[in-house]
Amino acid sequence: MAAAGAEAVAAAAEEEEEEAAAGGKRRLPLPDPESGGDSEDEGDSDSSGDGEDEEKENEAEIQRLEEQLSINAFDYNCHLDLIKLLRQEGELVKLRRARQKMSELFPLTEEIWLDWLKDEIKMASEISEREKVYELFERAVKDYICPEIWLEYAQYSIGGIGQEGGIEKVRSIFERALTAVGLHVTKGTALWEAYREFENAILETAQPAPGSVPSPKQQQMLCSQLERIHTLFRRQLGIPLLDMEASYAEYEEWSEEPIPETIIKNYKKALQQLEKCKPYEEALLGAETPKLAEYQAYIDFEMKAGDPARIQLIYERALAENCLVPDLWARYNQYLDRQLRVKELVLSAHDRAVRNCPWTVGLWIRYLLAMERHGVDHCIISEIFEKALNAGFIQATDYVEIWQAYLDYLRRRVDFTQDSSKELEELRSAFARAVEYLKQEVEERFSESGDPSCTIMQNWARVEARLCNNMQKARELWDNIMTKGNAKYANMWLEYYNLERAHGDTQHCRKALHRAVQCTSDYPEHVCEVLLTLERIEGTLEDWDAAVQKTENRLARVNEQRAKVAEKEAALAKQEEEKAEQRKQARAEKKASKKAKKNRIGDKRKADDDDEGEWGREEEEQPSKRHKGDGDGLLLEEDMELETGLFGRSGAEKPDRPANQKQKASTSRKDIPKVLHDSSKDNVTVFVSNLSYNMAEPEVKLKELFESCGEVEQIRPVFSNKGMFRGYCYVEFKDEKSALQALGLDRKVVEGRPMFVSPCVDKNKNPDFKVFRYSTTLEKHKLFISGLPFSCTKEELEDVCKAHGNVKDIRLVTNRAGKPKGLAYVEYENEAQASQAVLKMDGLTIKEHVIKVAISNPPLRKLPDKPEAGRASQFAVPRQIYGARGKGRTQLSMMPRALQRQSNPVAKAENGVVQNSPATSSEPAEEPKKMSNADFAKMLLNK
């Protein structure tokens, strides 16, 4: 019927085109513009000029949309825009053609169908035109189960009641509508009431004139019509529908006889069932799109009840709102295949599924199986398969699956008892075409065939060997399989060997195993064992000797190679251990150096307090030096401070600068006692990092930020030895729930930088622990976009993406400083929307940047066994010997040679006196005398 309707509409479009070519354009009747009185000629000419300009613009836009659709016929939004413009212009011929093309590619929504039907109803005046509208209605009700379209269909059919058989046709349409949507809890009542109103109108026309006595025929017709209305009331009251009480009261008022007990019993039973359905209906009314969870709960409820009609209806309701969810279609089709098994219903559902989700290979495979199961003609099945190949699957393996399903179908058609048949030749040509298709079409698009192990060729070889007794062809196929990179795998050789063993001869088995021993690299022992087993059972002495010699030589080479690999791995492991030991030693030396330096700073401060001389006063007055190019006023190493105190003399006292004030603030933090981290509270603590070093009062700032997650017990910022904030801290909460909620603040921008929030984990106990909040596997509902301009904002990207589906989340990738990298991840509600977005957005230009769009599938990270192995060499020597910033090509030593410290951390300088070297340190030495700053100066000036 749908095909006939399509042909009828197409024929009508051709007729209209002929009319337009002959005389002019046929337009839809448009509403007359409101007029407030007579207008002047000048105003009329201005308005007509504006109308002409607008018409020209619309014609140009229509031409552009048509050209775009000629390039990409699957542009859904382009179809909608074209139909909207054509409807606005009243171009009936082009509008019909545009709607027809769209309906061939996509199932149309309720709104599109209703607009189309109303436009055609306006133009339908002749009987032939009304028939075309009927055919259009028949197509509309097959796309989705829609109560509004069924109601419009039934009401339109009432207009043809005057024709022959008109009343019966209306009743037939109403009955079909009740079968389709009469059980709809919220919208079914409208159909029942419309049907009763129609029958009541017929009853009124059948009433005899006042004062006249009805004839027996009229009396019989009246009784029959009354019984029809009684039946409609009784049928409706037995179904759980909203406002059942009002329908029951209306029946009581209308009926002259008391309502039978059976009807009352059914009514009460339906009321009870309605009470059970109400929670699910209320959940659907209160939920937001797509309501999948609510619909699934409703489906599970109806499945337990077991009424097939109600199960089918709730599935159809869910699909009307979620037509692009492949899993929902798959579950519905599985239910129809296994439970209802009605041919028309099953095939219709499968057809709608693949039209809505053509990119899902599983739906196409189910469709092919269903058609085979219900005995559909071979030509139609082949046609559907060709449509599947052009559906645009998103993975190479999908094409392998659809080909395999079709080849299985063709194999089941073949009668292998015959030596040759048309079906067998078709199967062989299909196998050859499949191999070529994967090699050419699929590999060109995906850079892989999707079938690395050649499963289709393997199945072809098995069919030839087992079913056609053609081992020669099977051997040729296996030879091709091995030349495609599979010769190194033992399991491939053993598959071939088993095939030869079952359908070939011993000579070819032996030949295959000898080749396998030579080529296999993954499990050569297994192949050698199979060869020896064969020769032990069937071989001669010469065969046995040859097999033993070949296997021994092969295994010797394999063991030698494995020994070399093991030796290399052991050497690498030893190097890693040595590097780890060097790192450990370097850390220990660095720690000892810091400890000794801290002690020396304490002694120096004590000496400064005791000294009242000129040098000490000058040191206090001299402002601290900064790093070159550093505006934060960070202090230099202790050596640089000492040099400043000796040679940076200044007679006058200078006022404090901001750097000095910051230094004083940082100095004040030195006096704060350090709080050791309590690892027992890790579950209620989060680690916060990547904060700005310039953050003033981090405790106050972070407490305001994290109090939204729960009660904050303590915030512990980490400061350097000089009291400067190091950009990270620990936030301890009252309970674990608050700590888990705080993880949601990860990547929040604070003072221009993304703040990192992660669980507090002891890296010594869990050295491999690493927090990465995003998935590193294939996510079919998420897109990866590259090539974005750095100025692109999240809102601008969302405006582009939301045109192709419901966007759940957008993440712009930034570096640690919060600067954009031109990359983004866009998450859609389902993989259907994501797939459509890839087709529409890939290659799109945004702010003169051409973007690339793909399904999110991050490559696997190749992490070394020891993360610090690559950097071990640079830490083998303590970093302190190069200064605070490490060794640089442009770094000059500002330290007098007399004050330079030894690289050996054992030999320390304490208050200017160098201790004995390790060679002489065993002898007891007198404790050196401590010197003041003035003594330091005198000693240096005398040198």
Side-chain angles (χ1 to χ4, degrees), residues 823-930:
L823 309 174
Y825 289 90
V826 180
E827 182 179 357
Y828 283 93
E829 278 193 344
N830 51 58
E831 63 181 76
Q833 297 178 2
S835 302
Q836 287 294 316
V838 170
L839 297 175
K840 306 286 178 57
M841 292 173 56
D842 189 30
L844 190 67
T845 301
I846 298 179
K847 295 183 179 180
E848 299 182 356
H849 285 68
V850 179
I851 64 172
K852 294 182 179 180
V853 184
I855 298 295
S856 176
N857 188 14
L860 295 176
R861 296 187 175 189
K862 297 182 180 180
L863 297 175
D865 294 337
K866 306 230 175 178
E868 295 182 356
R871 304 184 312 190
S873 59
Q874 65 179 352
F875 295 115
V877 181
R879 189 176 178 182
Q880 282 76 4
I881 67 173
Y882 298 133
R885 292 180 294 171
K887 185 175 182 180
R889 290 178 294 177
T890 61
Q891 182 177 351
L892 299 178
S893 176
M894 303 300 294
M895 181 72 66
R897 291 191 182 91
L899 293 181
Q900 286 184 354
R901 291 181 289 181
Q902 301 290 334
S903 60
N904 191 338
V906 180
K908 301 290 183 182
E910 183 172 341
N911 288 335
V913 179
V914 181
Q915 295 178 356
N916 295 331
S917 63
T920 59
S921 61
S922 59
E923 298 177 6
E926 184 180 354
E927 184 177 356
K929 180 182 177 181
K930 296 181 180 180

Side-chain angles (χ1 to χ4, degrees), residues 404-696:
Q404 193 58 65
Y406 184 59
L407 291 169
D408 292 344
Y409 156 71
L410 294 178
R411 195 265 307 161
R412 289 189 284 266
R413 295 181 67 241
V414 179
D415 182 7
F416 289 100
T417 58
Q418 301 178 8
D419 293 337
S420 179
S421 64
K422 179 181 177 181
E423 290 80 7
L424 179 58
E425 293 305 317
E426 184 178 2
L427 174 63
R428 284 173 171 161
S429 63
F431 268 119
R433 184 190 167 200
V435 173
E436 188 66 20
Y437 186 91
L438 295 178
K439 181 180 178 181
Q440 299 292 335
E441 302 289 337
V442 178
E443 193 166 348
E444 179 179 350
R445 178 181 173 189
F446 296 96
S447 300
E448 59 167 328
S449 67
D451 191 16
S453 58
C454 302
T455 54
I456 289 181
M457 291 184 70
Q458 288 188 45
N459 290 332
W460 188 4
R462 294 187 186 102
V463 168
E464 293 288 353
R466 297 176 183 175
L467 301 178
C468 301
N469 298 319
N470 188 353
M471 272 305 299
Q472 184 62 34
K473 180 65 176 178
R475 292 183 185 115
E476 292 177 4
L477 291 169
W478 270 104
D479 188 60
N480 289 334
I481 292 171
M482 292 305 182
T483 57
K484 295 183 181 295
N486 293 301
K488 58 185 177 181
Y489 300 116
N491 66 311
M492 300 296 288
W493 284 107
L494 294 179
E495 283 286 341
Y496 176 36
Y497 167 75
N498 290 332
L499 193 67
E500 281 285 359
R501 192 73 172 154
H503 307 285
D505 52 55
T506 305
Q507 181 181 355
H508 284 92
C509 289
R510 182 178 291 111
K511 185 177 179 181
L513 289 176
H514 275 275
R515 289 178 60 195
V517 169
Q518 194 68 27
C519 300
T520 302
S521 60
D522 55 351
Y523 298 105
E525 295 90 349
H526 194 182
V527 176
C528 292
E529 183 181 352
V530 174
L531 175 59
L532 292 176
T533 302
L534 173 68
E535 301 299 358
R536 178 175 286 111
I537 296 174
E538 300 186 18
T540 63
L541 179 59
E542 290 78 8
D543 295 332
W544 172 260
D545 291 339
V548 169
Q549 183 178 358
K550 188 151 193 167
T551 55
E552 286 179 352
N553 292 340
R554 176 59 178 160
L555 293 178
R557 289 197 303 271
V558 169
N559 291 331
E560 183 179 350
Q561 292 172 357
R562 289 175 179 173
K564 289 180 180 180
V565 172
E567 184 179 350
K568 187 176 180 180
E569 291 178 352
L572 290 174
K574 187 176 180 181
Q575 290 179 7
E576 293 296 332
E577 290 177 1
E578 291 175 354
K579 291 177 181 179
E581 186 64 29
Q582 289 176 359
R583 289 196 299 272
K584 185 176 179 182
Q585 183 180 356
R587 286 195 293 267
E589 291 174 354
K590 183 177 179 181
K591 187 175 180 181
S593 175
K594 285 185 177 180
K595 187 175 181 181
K597 175 181 171 183
K598 186 176 179 181
N599 293 337
R600 186 162 61 82
I601 292 174
D603 294 340
K604 175 177 174 292
R605 287 178 179 168
K606 184 177 180 182
D608 290 342
D609 292 340
D610 295 340
D611 184 49
E612 298 293 336
E614 175 186 1
W615 297 97
R617 287 194 300 273
E618 291 185 23
E619 186 181 47
E620 291 175 2
E621 295 168 359
Q622 178 67 26
S624 300
K625 286 189 178 180
R626 306 181 188 183
H627 285 297
K628 183 177 180 180
D630 194 344
D632 294 342
L634 297 177
L635 300 177
L636 289 170
E637 290 282 305
E638 176 59 18
D639 301 324
M640 298 300 290
E641 292 178 357
L642 182 59
E643 184 180 355
T644 302
L646 288 172
F647 301 103
R649 303 185 185 183
S650 176
E653 183 175 349
K654 297 181 181 179
D656 285 343
R657 294 183 295 177
N660 298 66
Q661 295 172 2
K662 191 166 185 179
Q663 179 181 350
K664 289 184 177 181
S666 63
T667 305
S668 66
R669 293 195 185 101
K670 297 179 183 178
D671 301 329
I672 301 175
K674 292 186 177 180
V675 180
L676 296 177
H677 176 66
D678 186 0
S679 59
S680 64
K681 295 185 179 180
D682 283 351
N683 61 324
V684 295
T685 306
V686 295
F687 178 67
V688 183
S689 61
N690 202 42
L691 299 170
S692 173
Y693 289 179
N694 300 327
M695 181 181 287

Side-chain angles (χ1 to χ4, degrees), residues 227-289:
E227 185 60 30
R228 271 200 186 90
I229 299 174
H230 274 291
T231 302
L232 282 176
F233 266 119
R234 293 166 183 174
R235 288 169 60 190
Q236 180 182 354
L237 292 176
I239 299 172
L241 301 171
L242 289 182
D243 297 330
M244 289 185 64
E245 297 85 352
S247 300
Y248 183 80
E250 183 182 352
Y251 186 32
E252 280 186 319
E253 182 181 354
W254 180 85
S255 178
E256 297 176 355
E257 302 175 357
I259 300 176
E261 286 296 326
T262 55
I263 303 302
I264 296 175
K265 184 178 179 181
N266 291 337
Y267 167 69
K268 291 181 178 180
K269 185 178 178 181
L271 271 178
Q272 293 176 356
Q273 191 173 357
L274 178 63
E275 291 301 318
K276 295 179 182 178
C277 295
K278 273 185 178 180
Y280 299 99
E281 294 290 346
E282 291 170 357
L284 288 174
L285 288 174
E288 296 181 357
T289 306

